[in-house]
Amino acid sequence: MCGIVGYIGNEQAAPILLDGLAKLEYRGYDSSGIAVRDNNEDTVVIKAKGKLSELAEKTDNGSAVKGCCGIGHTRWATHGAPSETNAHPHVSNDRSVIAVHNGIIENHTEIREKLLRQGYVFRTQTDTEAVVNLIDYYYKKYNIGPIDAIAKTMVRVRGSYALAIMFSDYPGEIYVARKDSPLIVGITENAAYTASDVPAILNRTRQVYYIGNLEMGRLTAGNVEFYNLDGDLIEKELTTIDWDAAAAEKGGYEHFMLKEIHEQPKAVRDTLHAYLKENGKGNTVNLEKTGISEEEIRACSQLYIVACGSASHVGYTAQYIIEDMCRIPVRVEMASEFRYRRPPLVRDGLVVIISQSGETADSLAALRHAKEEGLKTLAIVNVIGSTIAREADYVMYTYAGPEIAVATTKAYSCQLIACYLLAIAFGKARGLVTEECVSEYLEELETLPDKIARILEDKERIQWFASKFANAQDAFFIGRGIDYAVCMEGSLKMKEVSYVHTEAYAAGELKHGTISLIEKGTLVIGVLTQSEIYEKTLSNMVEVKSRGGYLMGLTMSGNFNLEETADFTVFVPKTDELFAASLAVIPLQLLGYYIAVARGQDVDKPRNLAKSVTVE
Ligand code: F6R
């Protein structure tokens, strides 16, 4: 949550900062601000409440602000309501220190009290203002340089932070520091950049350093130095980003969400192909690049899948598949619960963390807890070099490319593929899936991208249906087994972007209470891709219909009798039922998207949400 950018070079900084912030608006968008310095002049700080466009208007897209060194911020409020006052950058009392911050300072009240006793005053409700003044306090009290003052502050504060800081005594420099919130540094011959995420600087440079936990950096035009907490210089490895810059742009689509829905065939294919290997007799799953060995897979007696939101829905789907295919018990845990519930964990269990961003605070805490308990961890992550990817014992990257829309679509689909591959690898290593079966599964997986593309070709039908239900108050998603896991995702997709109240229910559970909510015209979406439980879910749909519900049915081609019960039926191509979630989710993503569009919502940036949830 919250996006940070910084630039130092010989070009006008403000337009570059605004451009970078525009790419980070998915991280937060209730207010924004920039601080820019023109050589030895005082630093100007400009802020605006609301979307970034307000700040752009105030500054004539940045062109009205002089200076080649600056920092910027787009906010997702945690401490203090969204307002111009609480917007970043924040300044120390005499403006010696100016900073932008992403994260949460847990002991900010204690720090405030300490500084109030020293005569500091506070003008905002933010935790950031406490940090800015604390840096200023140490800087002056001990008469030390910026790095030492920041290091002392890092030792004193608790919580998470990515900080970009300017000191009035050091005009051509930007300082950065991080703990648990993402921050990168980009470099060219004449300039240096900092940002919360790669897309913010991708059109300026591809040469990037990932700042480690409890590390600091000093940026000057064309140069960067990194320091550890002792203030010693450290060496860091430069990474070249090979993403396609166009992948981070809308490319003709009205919204990133729709673009990303359409990118799924490619994303799924790329993720699948990253883990296949020809063995003479056909393809097999190759997890070598994740670091996990076949012996470790064989020795594993239990899987814990820990994740948040959509990533946890992938976990629920994986649970059905892995337990069925590999006969290993799988527990799926919401990371926010897992980290505090502290369940007993078996030593030879493997903890699988699923995360698009690789920065989700609860998932990261769960990963660290698992490691402390002595368990091995495998992370399924999309963002290369993210904290979860760096801290996990094994990493299975998904190849969705940058996902910008707040609501995940293509990353979810790639996470499913990663889980299918894990299931096949575990099944094979444990002798439960024969080589022949592996080939059959992989052949089937190879067909998924084209099948997804075929579903997308028929999207207008879903668009038409969505327009009919744009005024719906509630929608219920029902299914059993894997279909129930798909329902969870379909329900979340619709509610988060369209603000229609939705719920997902295991179809058999509906009559234990929730069915009392069904009245004439209530939209109920039944997902029925699993033949063994098809009739059961169908009966539950009939129960709903006889109470006035309006039924949408979602099934695989061939199950034409569903049309006799459902008022509107969507068919997806046939596939192995274990992999049906990959196809069934697509119409549900489209439904959520088109209902949101019909209701005029801000699809890519739904209210109150942020793409990367780096607070608990
Ligand atoms: C919903 C959505 C969220 C994320 C969740 C976890 O569309 O995107 O529910 O899935 O916040 O985020 P990551 O995967 O980045 O850990």
Side-chain angles (χ1 to χ4, degrees), residues 272-330:
L272 178 62
H273 287 177
Y275 300 104
L276 296 187
K277 188 174 162 190
E278 167 65 43
N279 68 354
K281 292 185 226 143
N283 274 330
T284 188
V285 180
N286 176 15
L287 295 184
E288 242 167 65
K289 64 171 96 151
T290 68
I292 195 163
S293 69
E294 218 169 293
E295 291 72 58
E296 281 163 308
I297 292 179
R298 225 172 283 127
C300 167
S301 70
Q302 159 96 45
L303 285 179
Y304 303 94
I305 303 184
V306 189
C308 300
S310 293
S312 72
H313 301 158
V314 171
Y316 289 112
T317 316
Q319 180 180 43
Y320 288 109
I321 298 166
I322 297 173
E323 288 192 338
D324 187 48
M325 214 188 258
C326 319
R327 311 309 300 159
I328 306 177
V330 179

Side-chain angles (χ1 to χ4, degrees), residues 308-311 354-358 360 363 406-408 415 489 492-493 496 611 613:
C308 300
S310 293
I354 308 180
S355 175
Q356 186 285 129
S357 62
T360 303
S363 304
V406 166
T408 183
Q415 290 163 354
E489 180 59 7
L492 178 61
K493 228 50 335 155
E496 70 181 325
K611 181 74 181 160
V613 187

Side-chain angles (χ1 to χ4, degrees), residues 509-521:
E509 203 37 40
L510 200 68
K511 58 169 98 50
H512 297 286
T514 311
I515 202 164
S516 67
L517 294 172
I518 307 296
E519 49 190 44
K520 193 166 183 302

